[in-house]
Amino acid sequence: MPDAVPDLSAWVAGAAAEHPDAVALVGPEGVETTWADLEQEVERVARGLVGLGLVAGHRVGIALGNTREFVAAYLAALRVQAVAVPLNHRATAEELAGVLDDAGCRLAMAGPESLDAVRRARDLLAAEPGVPGVRVLVVGAAAEGDELAWEALPTSAGDLPGARDPERLAVLLYTSGASGRPKGAMLSHRALLANVEQVARVD
């Protein structure tokens, strides 16, 4: 694993440079996304996150299901050295509130399937004294009030983090909570890279 690759998003940039027109993702109804298009979206969202004030270590909840936007959001969070927190987009508001609170998420991204529950989770947390507010970023639906819209993320942010640390926490993956309160498993950037490398070696 080359030291020059600090996180998974760097591999996307490399693939976009080498094979820009190759297919990276195939979405619903066979809609294809090339590596160049994916890299462009990851970079746009990463700059948007920086424009919103997120810095390395901030937690970002992602309740988007198996979509192109989930991939872009996940990789963008890694690119800015924030911590991606994948959320079950079919979870209840109470379940989401518990994970958002435990992870310390400052931002929660929600799509049409999860938006109502994420909004209720935000309101539940706002009613708790001493709990920081959670901003909601809406994907594929209309934003309301002070919510943010995926399409309107700021794109004029300054430079993204230069020296990225592969040992830094990258992802918090929460258990289902079947035998108790969900617990977050911590994965570093290096752990994610090692996993991809291991899978790539399988014939």
Side-chain angles (χ1 to χ4, degrees), residues 6-10 42 46 49 72-84 161 164 168-171 187-189 192:
D7 60 56
L8 292 183
S9 75
V42 170
L49 295 179
Y74 182 89
L75 293 169
L78 299 186
R79 182 162 293 183
V80 301
Q81 296 264 298
V83 179
R164 289 178 271 174
R168 184 181 289 275
L169 178 64
V171 181
L187 298 176
S188 69
H189 289 278
L192 295 178

Side-chain angles (χ1 to χ4, degrees), residues 44-128:
R44 183 188 76 84
V45 177
R47 291 189 176 277
L49 295 179
V50 171
L52 295 176
L54 270 72
V55 299
H58 283 180
R59 273 66 166 164
V60 179
I62 309 174
L64 298 178
N66 189 16
T67 63
R68 175 181 185 267
E69 289 79 10
F70 175 90
V71 176
Y74 182 89
L75 293 169
L78 299 186
R79 182 162 293 183
V80 301
Q81 296 264 298
V83 179
V85 184
L87 302 168
N88 179 359
H89 64 290
R90 294 190 177 93
T92 66
E94 291 75 16
E95 290 168 337
L96 290 170
V99 173
L100 290 170
D101 181 34
D102 187 73
C105 290
R106 294 170 178 260
L107 179 71
M109 303 186 188
E113 290 182 316
S114 62
L115 184 53
D116 286 345
V118 168
R119 283 171 171 163
R120 291 198 300 272
R122 172 201 58 194
D123 294 343
L124 287 172
L125 292 175
E128 293 290 333

Side-chain angles (χ1 to χ4, degrees), residues 131-198:
V131 176
V134 178
R135 303 182 73 181
V136 175
L137 175 63
V138 180
V139 182
E144 299 178 354
D146 62 354
E147 294 173 350
L148 308 163
W150 177 264
E151 299 80 6
L153 279 169
T155 57
S156 59
D159 294 336
L160 299 181
R164 289 178 271 174
D165 182 4
E167 302 301 336
R168 184 181 289 275
L169 178 64
V171 181
L172 279 172
L173 290 176
Y174 276 79
T175 63
S176 64
S179 60
R181 185 173 179 176
K183 299 177 179 63
M186 299 186 293
L187 298 176
S188 69
H189 289 278
R190 189 178 296 280
L192 295 178
L193 289 167
N195 181 254
V196 171
E197 184 180 16
Q198 290 164 358

